[in-house]
Amino acid sequence: MKHRLLTVATVVLVVLQTACTTISVNESHFLNPDQKIQVKELNKIEPTATTENITINGFDDVTLSGTLIKVDNAQATVIYFGGNQFRVSVAGGEPAQQILPMNVNILMVDHRGYGNSEGTPTVENLKRDALSVYDYAANLVDLENAPIILHGHSLGSVIAGYVASERSADALVLEGSITNVQQMTSQRIPWFVKPFVELHFSDELARVDNLKVVESFTAPLLIITGENDTQTPPVLAETLYQHAFSKQKQLYIVKGKHHGNALTGDKLQLHYQRLVKQLNEKKS
């Protein structure tokens, strides 16, 4: 009887709490148009911007497809690794428009198995492909004088972190990043459930560890996260920042933003331009 009364009381409380709450539902909750890379939009930001469809051979000769955006007198080349299911032709427009004001080249490539890239994705395959993407940019004559910034979002942050541990990147941007899989999972499981849950991770996932990456990365580092990010909570970004060895590190927690839109923060250019300035000072 007491249990039934408690249940009824809980339901009544929820109803009372929501009775005076207005919930807005609009078209944007259902309609999510593609955000393609469009030259006319890029030229509004940087008149010299041009785009080129490119292909890269993966480590096993699988063909990877992407887009290279070039500008005159670029301060750097950003290699952007998108999140899970990121497709350049569908979602490349937004990060391109947010990053282009920094007067940089931008290279985006579809993960294998997605978009126009061949192959089957696994964590290890994506990491090894990313080295091929880096080597392509580092050896491209048109870009050889520009410092390379690795920028990874979500799943892409794991890939960018791996490349930073294997190649001499000039700067690193981790957006919506995890520390490692164990800590990320722990943050997302409610405390009252944890005593009853035992997790086992595959060897491939267990090796994912951006915390270890930042502990040895010495070049300029920018960590970005949305204040309301529930997929990779801000505490993970704070932990990365605290453990980062770089003496040129920044943490940007974007007010009011979540996992997918932190790049639209009004102070992004301030932090990104500082990063570009740091790496060019180091170069000179």
Side-chain angles (χ1 to χ4, degrees):
M1 182 65 178
K2 289 183 178 179
H3 176 73
R4 185 177 300 174
L5 288 174
L6 179 60
T7 302
V8 172
T10 302
V11 172
V12 171
L13 179 60
V14 171
V15 171
L16 288 174
Q17 287 179 329
T18 59
C20 297
T21 300
T22 300
I23 301 175
S24 298
V25 180
N26 54 52
E27 290 179 325
S28 64
H29 291 111
F30 304 97
L31 303 176
N32 298 294
D34 293 349
Q35 300 199 35
K36 301 178 180 180
I37 295 174
Q38 299 184 15
V39 176
K40 64 179 182 179
E41 295 300 323
L42 298 180
N43 287 154
K44 292 178 183 178
I45 301 170
E46 171 50 60
T48 67
T50 61
T51 64
E52 175 185 350
N53 294 328
I54 55 99
T55 57
I56 299 172
N57 288 331
F59 69 93
D60 54 357
D61 288 331
V62 161
T63 300
L64 308 174
S65 297
T67 297
L68 174 62
I69 303 170
K70 293 191 292 187
V71 300
D72 290 350
N73 303 313
Q75 296 297 301
T77 295
V78 175
I79 304 178
Y80 179 87
F81 298 105
N84 184 34
Q85 299 188 7
F86 174 81
R87 296 167 174 81
V88 176
S89 62
V90 173
E94 182 171 63
Q97 290 185 45
Q98 299 300 328
I99 299 171
L100 193 62
M102 271 45 87
N103 190 36
V104 294
N105 304 313
I106 305 170
L107 174 61
M108 299 180 176
V109 177
D110 287 333
H111 301 310
R112 68 165 55 206
Y114 294 97
N116 294 317
S117 289
E118 300 174 347
T120 302
T122 67
V123 172
E124 290 303 309
N125 283 348
L126 297 185
K127 288 161 64 175
R128 294 175 70 181
D129 284 343
L131 296 180
S132 298
V133 173
Y134 177 93
D135 293 341
Y136 172 88
N139 293 310
L140 202 60
V141 175
D142 291 353
L143 310 181
E144 63 182 357
N145 293 321
I148 292 180
I149 300 173
L150 301 174
H151 182 145
H153 170 237
S154 194
L155 170 65
S157 71
V158 172
I159 298 170
Y162 172 74
V163 177
S165 70
E166 297 291 323
R167 296 290 189 268
S168 299
D170 297 289
L172 177 62
V173 180
L174 299 177
E175 176 195 351
S177 177
I178 67 170
T179 47
N180 51 49
V181 174
Q182 294 88 341
Q183 284 192 15
M184 181 191 75
T185 306
S186 177
Q187 285 296 322
R188 297 184 66 180
I189 297 176
W191 65 268
F192 53 85
V193 175
K194 289 180 181 179
F196 309 102
V197 176
E198 183 176 356
L199 298 173
H200 297 279
F201 302 98
S202 67
D203 291 341
E204 292 80 9
L205 289 178
R207 286 195 292 269
V208 170
D209 196 341
N210 267 357
L211 195 59
K212 186 177 293 184
V213 170
V214 300
E215 287 176 341
S216 60
F217 188 74
T218 59
L221 171 67
L222 171 58
I223 300 168
I224 304 171
T225 190
E227 178 186 42
N228 300 325
D229 190 336
T230 57
Q231 295 189 49
T232 51
V235 66
L236 299 179
E238 292 169 347
T239 301
L240 286 170
Y241 180 79
Q242 291 164 4
H243 285 77
F245 181 76
S246 173
K247 298 187 184 310
Q248 296 175 303
K249 60 183 181 180
Q250 302 178 70
L251 174 62
Y252 178 29
I253 298 179
V254 192
K255 291 184 178 180
K257 304 299 181 179
H258 50 78
H259 189 70
N261 66 354
L263 278 189
T264 61
D266 58 4
K267 294 183 181 178
L268 175 72
Q269 290 192 28
L270 173 67
H271 291 280
Y272 223 112
Q273 286 173 344
R274 183 180 300 162
L275 180 86
V276 173
K277 182 179 179 181
Q278 288 172 340
L279 66 87
N280 279 290
E281 287 176 346
K282 177 183 176 182
K283 181 181 177 182
S284 60

